[in-house]
Amino acid sequence: NAGVTQTPKFQVLKTGQSMTLQCAQDMNHNSMYWYRQDPGMGLRLIYYSASEGTTDKGEVPNGYNVSRLNKREFSLRLESAAPSQTSVYFCASSLGGQDAYTFGSGTRLTVV
Amino acid sequence: QKEVEQDPGPLSVPEGAIVSLNCTYSNSAFQYFMWYRQYSRKGPELLMYTYSSGNKEDGRFTAQVDKSSKYISLFIRDSQPSDSATYLCAMSADPYSGAGSYQLTFGKGTKLSVIP
């Protein structure tokens, strides 16, 4: 049982480049989330998908887009990367909104 | 005032000590309370999950919720070096009550070091 799988684990981008972070869960969870974690800032929600076919903005959505491809997969896209997007990105999933989250192992992104 | 406040530490204790980690919150609609543990360069993992007020015990870990004071605690007994990690509190309201947002609200985490 893999849980939540994120790819890639590490990435270095140049300013202005684009990339997509992939996330897949195998727990038949309904809800999926993308967070970024920065020193001193804690976990900040970028976007979430309460159920297949829906997506909503979180606390810090600017510069990002998401796609809930199906029940298992939720991707995060950076269209034009900026140094301020250097961070560790975590994908998470849960059965419902009040349920415990299962997190992936993270993607460490550096934008130079 | 932030919705969830958590002392960032760092907190350093000797092996075998009792550790107390705390969070305060302002949203009286919160009913689901969790503690996550995050090892360095890893994702958070669920440690404890409680609903409403009261205590819950799991091995060396005890979670307490005092809704009247808007205060939650995590106690670690007989702390071990393997407990060294960052501990995050998280909480949410009933998503169907209309009283809160759908997703969890996290504290910023307390970094704990247990010294052998």
Side-chain angles (χ1 to χ4, degrees), chain B residues 3 20 44 82 97 108 111:
Chain B
E3 271 200 306
S20 173
S82 58
S97 69
K108 291 186 178 181
K111 186 170 184 179

Side-chain angles (χ1 to χ4, degrees), chain B residues 1-34:
Chain B
Q1 180 187 12
K2 295 192 191 319
E3 271 200 306
V4 178
E5 299 272 8
Q6 184 175 10
D7 186 335
L11 181 62
S12 185
V13 301
E15 183 176 353
I18 296 174
V19 176
S20 173
L21 304 168
N22 312 293
C23 288
T24 58
Y25 62 95
S26 57
N27 188 344
S28 58
F30 285 150
Q31 294 192 62
Y32 302 90
F33 303 92
M34 299 162 218

Side-chain angles (χ1 to χ4, degrees), chain B residues 3 5 9 13-14 22 29 33 35 38 43 47 49-50 54 61 71 73 76 83 88 91-93 95 103 109 115-116:
Chain B
E3 271 200 306
E5 299 272 8
V13 301
N22 312 293
F33 303 92
W35 286 94
Q38 185 176 21
L47 199 56
Y49 181 103
T50 55
F61 299 89
Y71 189 87
S73 300
I76 307 174
D83 296 327
L88 301 96
M91 49 201 79
S92 72
Q103 61 272 15
I115 311 302

